[in-house]
Amino acid sequence: MIHIVIPVHNRKHFTKECLISLRNQTIPHKTIVVDDGSSDGTGEMLREEFPEVIVLEGDGNLFWTAGVNMGIRHALSLGADYIFTLNNDTIAAPDLLEKMMVWAERTPDALLGSFDINAKTLKPHYGGEIIIWRWDKSRFLLNELKENEWHGLHEVSLFPGRGLLIPRKVFDKVGLFEERLLPHYMADYDFTHLARRNGFKVYCNYDAKLYTYPEESGNHIISKTKTLKNYYNHLFSIRGGSNLRNYTIYIWRNCPWWEMPMSLLVGYLRRIIGFWLK
């Protein structure tokens, strides 16, 4: 059975919308919410409105990686065959899990990511990428595939943890997400690279649609207002998507050694300057 793991901290309106969409799934599953010290009534809402959801509690210091790991450990202890990591600011299409399992049965040694649709514009937002280490950039498949090719599986280099189906055997072989070195951002990318190095392919499943709110990510919110405080948070905060420490660790752990010097140089420049250009 699929066990869905959702780490949350406040934003209960998103969590509610997400859980309602999971109630409408066409195949059985179990949902685990890791409530990391929410102060906006999320815990009360979960108990009163979603009694079928397993709730684990943190103290507000788990952040994404430790939070999702807590949920995964619990799911594995319950005998989960598949873990589906999910963010709370998402809405699952009713057949998302069903479409995931169709392809999971055909590719049992693969991690499958969801096809992201912008929930507000209803336009495709993310369909996977092929990384180009040397220039710290990616080829995004949505820019390369024709619309009539937006179906089935397309192999990718990495995948984010919002809507990622992971077979139990992956955790048995490579362990959990790296919470000590990468407590929030980039732990999901790091994990999928590690899985690929251990023989598990990673795909975007274009048949499994997940509606998302790209503008609600912590990094987007930080980058939207150009202040010195936000610039500092952009580069050094644990919630900063361009955190230089995290980026350095991610490159060190995953980039081929012969590409590393150029990747780091370009990556640092892109993060230091890019905040003011976007």
Side-chain angles (χ1 to χ4, degrees):
M1 178 180 283
I2 298 176
H3 284 59
I4 303 171
V5 175
I6 311 172
V8 307
H9 177 71
N10 293 328
R11 306 196 305 172
K12 71 175 182 180
H13 59 292
F14 281 123
T15 301
K16 181 174 183 176
E17 195 173 23
C18 177
L19 293 177
I20 289 173
S21 76
L22 296 179
R23 272 183 176 165
N24 295 326
Q25 292 300 297
T26 55
I27 63 171
H29 63 277
K30 291 184 179 180
T31 301
I32 299 171
V33 171
V34 181
D35 180 15
D36 187 25
S38 294
S39 58
D40 65 346
T42 291
E44 292 82 354
M45 178 196 71
L46 292 171
R47 289 190 293 271
E48 294 172 6
E49 300 183 37
F50 299 95
E52 75 277 15
V53 171
I54 299 170
V55 180
L56 308 178
E57 296 184 353
D59 61 3
N61 295 301
L62 293 177
F63 297 100
W64 187 88
T65 315
V68 79
N69 279 347
M70 177 185 286
I72 291 169
R73 289 189 191 95
H74 192 73
L76 295 176
S77 74
L78 296 176
D81 300 304
Y82 291 90
I83 304 292
F84 188 68
T85 60
L86 190 63
N87 289 356
N88 67 334
D89 54 347
T90 60
I91 302 171
D95 61 354
L96 181 143
L97 295 182
E98 181 181 344
K99 295 295 187 182
M100 279 295 186
M101 288 312 302
V102 167
W103 283 107
E105 291 171 359
R106 300 181 193 179
T107 55
D109 293 329
L111 293 78
L112 306 179
S114 307
F115 182 31
D116 279 11
I117 310 293
N118 187 307
K120 291 187 176 180
T121 66
L122 300 183
K123 294 181 179 180
H125 174 68
Y126 183 78
E129 60 195 277
I130 307 297
I131 195 165
I132 304 170
W133 288 110
R134 177 172 297 183
W135 306 115
D136 183 50
K137 61 187 297 186
S138 291
R139 292 169 33 221
F140 290 94
L141 297 190
L142 276 177
N143 297 333
E144 300 182 0
L145 297 174
K146 297 178 181 178
E147 189 170 348
N148 62 10
E149 297 177 296
W150 294 351
H151 61 83
L153 301 187
H154 293 275
E155 189 169 0
V156 296
S157 299
L158 48 79
F159 215 86
R162 59 173 192 277
L164 180 64
L165 185 72
I166 309 169
R168 182 189 187 100
K169 64 179 72 175
V170 177
F171 298 108
D172 291 340
K173 187 166 186 178
V174 308
L176 301 179
F177 291 82
E178 177 50 64
E179 63 183 74
R180 184 177 66 85
L181 296 175
L182 298 169
H184 198 59
Y185 279 112
M186 306 198 87
D188 45 3
Y189 287 178
D190 175 78
F191 181 84
T192 50
H193 281 304
L194 178 60
R196 289 182 71 236
R197 290 197 298 272
N198 280 272
F200 300 99
K201 291 191 174 182
V202 181
Y203 297 94
C204 181
N205 180 359
Y206 275 67
D207 297 334
K209 295 180 174 61
L210 182 69
Y211 296 87
T212 65
Y213 297 89
E215 69 281 2
E216 294 297 332
S217 73
N219 187 53
H220 182 88
I221 292 171
I222 288 173
S223 300
K224 186 164 58 175
T225 305
K226 307 303 182 185
T227 65
L228 289 177
K229 179 180 179 180
N230 282 355
Y231 183 53
Y232 177 87
N233 289 335
H234 169 76
L235 295 177
F236 302 109
S237 166
I238 195 169
R239 296 185 182 278
S242 292
N243 181 294
L244 296 181
R245 171 190 173 276
N246 290 352
Y247 176 70
T248 304
I249 292 170
Y250 166 74
I251 291 295
W252 186 259
R253 285 169 57 88
N254 297 290
C255 180
W257 65 267
W258 59 91
E259 304 273 24
M260 198 175 295
M262 182 61 74
S263 184
L264 286 171
L265 176 62
V266 175
Y268 290 152
L269 290 174
R270 191 184 300 276
R271 284 156 178 77
I272 292 169
I273 299 172
F275 176 87
W276 303 106
L277 300 179
K278 291 183 180 179

